[in-house]
Amino acid sequence: MSLPRLYLRVLTLLGPEMRLAFILVLANLALAIALFAEPYLFGRIINLLTGVGGGGKPAVEQLLPLIGLWLGFGLITIIGGVTVALHADRLAHRQRLAVMSRYFEHVLTLPLSFHTSTHSGRTLKVMLDGSSAMFWLWLGFLREHCSAIVSLVVLLPFTLFINWRLGLLLVALVVVFAVFTVLVLRKTEEKQGAVETHHSTLAEHASDAIGNIPVIQSFTRVQAELQGLRHIIDRVLAAQIPVLSWWALVSVATRAASTLTVTAIFLLGTWLHYRDLATIGDIVTFMGYATLLIGKLEAAVGFVNSIFMQAPKLAEFFEVLDTTPQVHDRANALDAGTLQGEVTFDNVSFSYDGKRTAIADLTFSAPKGKVVALVGATGSGKSTTLGLLHRAFDPQSGRILIDGTDIRDFSLQSLRRNIAVVFQEPMLFARTIRENLQVGRADASEAEMMDALERAQALEFIGRQVSGLDTIVGERGRSLSGGERQRLSIARALLKNPPILILDEATSALDATTERKLQLALEEVMKNRTTFVIAHRLATIRNADLILVLDQGHIVESGKFEDLVALGGRFAKLAEAQFMAGAVEIPAAK
């Protein structure tokens, strides 16, 4: 995206505040006109005072209108400046937070494939850098850039009507600067993109290290990580310094132009004056214009430089914002209400990359209130199958029905409201235990929370916490053990009390004693609730109503535990590997 298009898109994000932005643009226009008019009026006053036109000393009546206009434009400058100062900052701050909120909401809706391929440190950096870049561009535009653009593009040509010879000198100065700036942009554009890439890598590296402090300290990696960070910093500087050098040259040229332009105006004006081609007032006017023009050129160069420096950040921001969620609501999506929980997979196929099939032609039914277990080697399609059920992604063919309705006809929010998932890895927020439980149900009472914790075998460790439910569990729940984190995530799912429950290796982080206790609780909770269980430990699915054995995305066996063992196939071999220390002996049913 070109710089002008990028800048225009940034301005269009002012949408909700466009009316106020338009008022501030008008204030900037008034400021530009007032600033432009003052040197002209001053020059006219000088002409009257020096007797240009042979009229001798001017009468007070001749001076008063010009002085009145001069004061009037001065008043406009004050009013316009106050208006811009009062509202530009507030508008930019409000919109920075609004666009940050919009980005955050959008990122939360992006598919898991985006988050697995994009580092969270980079995603956070893009949000903060992009919104900050927009803030400074909005603020700069409303404070200075708009006025500078109007002065350079619209008002500067009018100097030719005052004195075309002196006006041409000013126009030539602007043209030279424009050409010089474009050359610098072309020289440094690619380098600045590389700078931003290195900055993103820096953010990823730092975030990755901070997120793995226990590993770094345990394996004495402090110096190695620090050295890695310094290598990235060296690459940042190697890419940044040439860019800074070019823009320093622009800055020096701008400052040098101030002295050269004023001197050139004075010398050319004096030469023209001796040939009766310019008045003293003209020289004074153009000296004022030269000073004003240099200020506007500095603002314009700063404006271009700021866009240039922020462009890679903005491009990354818009790239994420333009990423389309793979899963979204259909037009006129239905509110699912409270579902009964009868689930049917009808010839469902799915592939992550369009090349290798994750699941193929999957067909089975889970009646309301029954327990369905999925068994198979890693990569056989178990998690993918249940990911499709709560629409982490949609199948390429086939359909999934709940209570006879294609789940794609439901709104995402209402569908997921009916499904609770306990993931293999406990995912807790760096908040209190109470707040983590409220993720399951925001209006849950403390008694309901305690009941859910008791059923998840979690009351014991909650009682050991000094602050009880108000204990902060740390980032990703790190102040708790693995088993404690998992029990808390199970309690959260139980509190949601959905008609459909998904347990993705829910007991994998628990010790054998706690697992046995929790299994009894889960069996009670799973009554009258359609439950899907992914389990490697077959003892946990001993009483499942239906076991599906998956291999490379296909159902190769299905049935009850005893039937599958008697079949002597793949499931029987898995059972033998887990339950037998020699002779074939399968645990008896309860």
Side-chain angles (χ1 to χ4, degrees):
M1 189 181 294
S2 64
L3 289 184
R5 287 181 60 197
L6 194 64
Y7 188 60
L8 182 61
R9 182 167 183 186
V10 171
L11 294 181
T12 57
L13 287 178
L14 289 172
E17 302 265 12
M18 197 59 77
R19 183 177 179 182
L20 177 57
F22 183 69
I23 292 172
L24 293 176
V25 167
L26 291 179
N28 273 280
L29 180 60
L31 279 172
I33 293 172
L35 290 173
F36 190 84
E38 285 180 0
Y40 176 78
L41 291 171
F42 189 45
R44 301 289 71 75
I45 292 171
I46 293 296
N47 279 340
L48 285 174
L49 291 175
T50 54
V52 172
K57 290 184 178 180
V60 175
E61 292 77 8
Q62 291 177 288
L63 290 173
L64 283 178
L66 293 174
I67 293 174
L69 283 171
W70 193 12
L71 292 175
F73 280 116
L75 184 61
I76 290 173
T77 301
I78 294 172
I79 295 173
V82 169
T83 301
V84 170
L86 280 176
H87 296 287
D89 288 71
R90 299 176 187 180
L91 184 151
H93 275 289
R94 285 196 301 270
Q95 286 304 108
R96 178 178 67 88
L97 295 175
V99 79
M100 189 184 297
S101 175
R102 178 181 171 184
Y103 175 97
F104 183 70
E105 180 183 11
H106 179 72
V107 165
L108 293 182
T109 65
L110 290 178
L112 294 178
S113 58
F114 170 85
H115 293 287
T116 54
S117 62
T118 307
H119 196 285
S120 59
R122 180 186 289 266
T123 303
L124 179 62
K125 175 185 176 297
V126 169
M127 180 180 76
L128 297 176
D129 285 355
S131 58
S132 179
M134 289 184 206
F135 168 79
W136 288 113
L137 288 181
W138 287 326
L139 193 61
F141 176 78
L142 296 172
R143 273 184 176 176
E144 301 172 352
H145 302 158
C146 180
S147 176
I149 292 169
V150 171
S151 298
L152 293 174
V153 177
V154 179
L155 299 180
L156 182 61
F158 283 100
T159 61
L160 297 173
F161 294 97
I162 301 171
N163 188 303
W164 67 268
R165 296 173 181 85
L166 292 172
L168 276 177
L169 183 60
L170 294 180
V171 172
L173 175 67
V174 172
V175 172
V176 169
F177 256 86
V179 172
F180 184 55
T181 303
V182 169
L183 289 176
V184 171
L185 280 173
R186 289 182 176 177
K187 285 281 187 181
T188 56
E189 186 172 6
E190 185 176 341
K191 290 183 175 64
Q192 186 59 32
V195 169
E196 196 53 38
T197 299
H198 292 318
H199 274 297
S200 294
T201 304
L202 184 66
E204 286 184 9
H205 185 92
S207 175
D208 206 31
I210 292 171
N212 290 283
I213 292 294
V215 176
I216 290 173
Q217 293 179 349
S218 174
F219 287 85
T220 61
R221 289 278 305 172
V222 174
Q223 290 303 316
E225 292 296 323
L226 180 59
Q227 186 176 5
L229 188 71
R230 286 172 175 167
H231 284 320
I232 299 172
I233 290 172
D234 289 341
R235 292 200 294 271
V236 171
L237 291 174
Q240 184 75 81
I241 288 175
V243 176
L244 297 176
S245 299
W246 276 104
W247 284 100
L249 184 61
V250 174
S251 178
V252 170
T254 304
R255 295 176 185 276
S258 176
T259 302
L260 293 175
T261 303
V262 171
T263 303
I265 289 291
F266 178 76
L267 293 176
L268 179 60
T270 302
W271 184 81
L272 291 173
H273 177 67
Y274 277 109
R275 285 161 178 73
D276 296 325
L277 297 174
T279 65
I280 297 296
D282 288 341
I283 297 174
V284 171
T285 295
F286 276 87
M287 292 283 281
Y289 282 155
T291 303
L292 178 65
L293 180 63
I294 293 302
K296 297 303 180 185
L297 277 175
E298 288 181 342
V301 169
F303 156 67
V304 174
N305 185 25
S306 64
I307 296 179
F308 170 75
M309 291 294 185
Q310 308 297 349
K313 300 175 184 178
L314 293 171
E316 279 193 317
F317 186 94
F318 288 127
E319 183 181 355
V320 174
L321 207 59
D322 292 338
T323 302
T324 305
Q326 294 175 345
V327 177
H328 52 81
D329 287 342
R330 287 178 171 177
N332 303 316
L334 304 173
D335 188 312
T338 301
L339 298 171
Q340 295 300 308
E342 182 180 345
V343 177
T344 301
F345 275 65
D346 181 15
N347 205 33
V348 174
S349 296
F350 175 78
S351 171
Y352 288 100
D353 55 11
K355 299 176 182 177
R356 187 174 62 87
T357 300
I359 61 170
D361 303 323
L362 208 62
T363 299
F364 68 90
S365 292
K368 171 188 172 183
K370 299 300 182 181
V371 178
V372 177
L374 281 73
V375 176
T378 300
S380 61
K382 303 183 301 296
S383 294
T384 300
T385 300
L386 299 186
L388 289 166
L389 178 58
H390 62 91
R391 292 196 70 194
F393 22 76
D394 283 334
Q396 277 90 28
S397 63
R399 56 184 187 152
I400 302 169
L401 310 174
I402 298 181
D403 299 345
T405 302
D406 192 324
I407 61 173
R408 288 170 293 195
D409 292 333
F410 295 131
S411 67
L412 275 169
Q413 184 174 359
S414 66
L415 170 68
R416 291 171 179 171
R417 191 172 60 233
N418 283 275
I419 302 173
V421 184
V422 179
F423 297 96
Q424 183 174 4
E425 179 185 351
M427 298 181 184
L428 301 179
F429 296 93
R431 303 169 191 172
T432 64
I433 292 174
R434 184 189 307 276
E435 288 172 304
N436 273 285
L437 289 172
Q438 286 173 336
V439 171
R441 199 170 96 236
D443 61 349
S445 66
E446 184 161 333
E448 289 171 322
M449 292 183 194
M450 299 304 288
D451 178 62
L453 289 167
E454 182 178 10
R455 288 155 63 191
Q457 304 292 313
L459 274 185
E460 180 185 353
F461 81 81
I462 296 295
R464 293 198 303 267
Q465 307 300 320
V466 176
S467 301
L469 293 178
D470 295 316
T471 302
I472 296 177
V473 300
E475 186 178 3
R476 298 180 184 176
R478 284 180 179 168
S479 66
L480 305 177
S481 70
E484 290 169 345
R485 289 197 298 270
Q486 191 63 291
R487 280 179 277 172
L488 186 54
S489 69
I490 291 170
R492 180 174 63 191
L494 296 175
L495 196 61
K496 187 176 181 181
N497 193 30
I500 300 172
L501 179 66
I502 296 175
L503 303 175
D504 187 353
E505 286 291 335
T507 62
S508 62
L510 306 180
D511 58 78
T513 302
T514 303
E515 182 183 5
R516 282 194 295 271
K517 292 179 181 178
L518 185 58
Q519 194 63 36
L520 293 174
L522 287 177
E523 287 175 4
E524 182 64 29
V525 171
M526 288 187 289
K527 289 180 179 178
N528 301 317
R529 192 191 315 275
T530 308
T531 305
F532 293 87
V533 182
I534 295 177
H536 289 295
R537 284 186 259 185
L538 301 186
T540 62
I541 58 169
R542 181 66 182 77
N543 297 318
D545 297 294
L546 174 65
I547 298 173
L548 303 176
V549 182
L550 275 70
D551 181 45
Q552 297 183 3
H554 296 270
I555 297 176
V556 293
E557 295 176 3
S558 65
K560 285 183 171 291
F561 193 97
E562 294 82 359
D563 296 335
L564 291 175
V565 170
L567 188 64
R570 190 181 299 269
F571 183 83
K573 291 179 180 178
L574 290 173
E576 181 179 355
Q578 289 193 24
F579 294 132
M580 300 192 179
V584 176
E585 186 179 334
I586 305 300
K590 297 173 184 177

